[in-house]
Amino acid sequence: MKKIPFFTLLSSILLLSSCSNKLADNELSGHLLLGPFSTAGKSGDMINQKLESLANVSDEELIKGYKELFAFPYPVQMAPQAQAILLKDFNATDKTSAIGAINVLMEESKSGDHKAYTYSLAVNVANLAYSSGYFTQKDVTDYEQKVLIEAKINYNNWDKYLNDFLKGRENKLKDDPNSSQQLYEVIVHELFLKNKNSPYLKLEFAF
């Protein structure tokens, strides 16, 4: 049996330890694919305060808190608005057409640039479909996991994913004077990637 030098072994152990500092929860990663869409109806101050309250909790409580804050951002009470968005932007009026819209987006992602924006749109459709009464929460998480499988082929960290989201959105809406791109830039750079308690800094992209 080949002997492994002590210092090589020690270095490997330290490397593994440093790589395991981040949390890993694929369900939460699926929710976070929404990117800035997950902040719907929430102010930056409210999100920062909630993140601050999670600063010194256990890992289990942290993941639970993140899910409460970022999962299913569109409540069922906003069904009329969600239905209107699905109809206007995706021509979706029921479960079948919402699934069709997701499938179209995922097909587009295979050949398009800035895939993160397309992935986020796909999971956003699923979440709007939940608010509209077309999907159950399980439907949403199932589609989020399907998208996550594709996303982790192209991204290995949240920084790259979120910045590619911004590039994709800017490119898609470059001719729209009401795109609010600056707001999305602030959400990503001043909230998601700056707040030390942000799930985008604490969580592995996927595992």
Side-chain angles (χ1 to χ4, degrees):
M1 181 177 176
K2 184 178 179 180
K3 292 185 178 180
I4 301 174
F6 174 76
F7 289 109
T8 300
L9 181 61
L10 179 60
S11 297
S12 299
I13 293 172
L14 289 174
L15 178 61
L16 287 171
S17 176
S18 65
C19 290
S20 64
N21 286 338
K22 287 192 174 183
L23 302 173
D25 186 287
N26 271 354
E27 182 180 324
L28 177 56
S29 289
H31 296 321
L32 294 181
L33 289 174
L34 279 165
F37 294 133
S38 67
T39 66
K42 308 179 187 79
S43 69
D45 287 343
M46 177 269 190
I47 294 173
N48 276 319
Q49 288 173 8
K50 178 62 177 178
L51 291 176
E52 186 65 28
S53 74
L54 296 172
N56 298 304
V57 301
S58 67
D59 288 352
E60 183 179 354
E61 291 173 312
L62 187 58
I63 289 174
K64 180 181 178 182
Y66 286 153
K67 289 178 180 178
E68 290 174 351
L69 184 57
F70 293 106
F72 311 111
Y74 311 114
V76 294
Q77 290 83 355
M78 67 166 288
Q81 298 97 310
Q83 290 169 357
I85 294 171
L86 286 176
L87 175 60
K88 177 178 178 292
D89 294 345
F90 303 99
N91 197 31
T93 58
D94 55 19
K95 183 172 186 175
T96 300
S97 52
I99 292 172
I102 293 171
N103 289 340
V104 167
L105 288 165
M106 294 308 295
E107 192 62 31
E108 288 178 1
S109 73
K110 293 179 181 178
S111 57
D113 295 327
H114 310 306
K115 299 176 187 296
Y117 183 59
T118 310
Y119 293 148
S120 69
L121 286 176
V123 295
N124 199 42
V125 168
N127 278 275
L128 287 166
Y130 164 68
S131 175
S132 298
Y134 308 152
F135 277 11
T136 64
Q137 287 192 353
K138 184 179 184 304
D139 290 329
V140 175
T141 55
D142 285 349
Y143 274 101
E144 287 174 341
Q145 291 306 300
K146 290 178 181 178
V147 176
L148 183 63
I149 289 171
E150 297 298 319
K152 68 182 182 180
I153 295 173
N154 296 287
Y155 304 93
N156 59 13
N157 65 68
W158 288 111
D159 188 293
K160 290 180 180 178
Y161 180 85
L162 290 170
N163 278 289
D164 204 41
F165 168 97
L166 290 175
K167 291 176 183 176
R169 188 179 189 278
E170 182 177 31
N171 184 63
K172 185 80 171 180
L173 303 176
K174 60 187 176 186
D175 297 322
D176 184 354
N178 302 310
S179 69
S180 302
Q181 181 69 14
Q182 186 175 0
L183 173 61
Y184 283 76
E185 299 272 354
V186 169
I187 292 172
V188 168
H189 294 300
E190 298 299 320
L191 182 61
F192 289 168
L193 296 178
K194 188 173 182 179
N195 189 311
K196 64 182 181 180
N197 299 310
S198 167
Y200 290 100
L201 298 180
K202 295 279 192 179
L203 188 74
E204 292 283 358
F205 187 80
F207 67 96

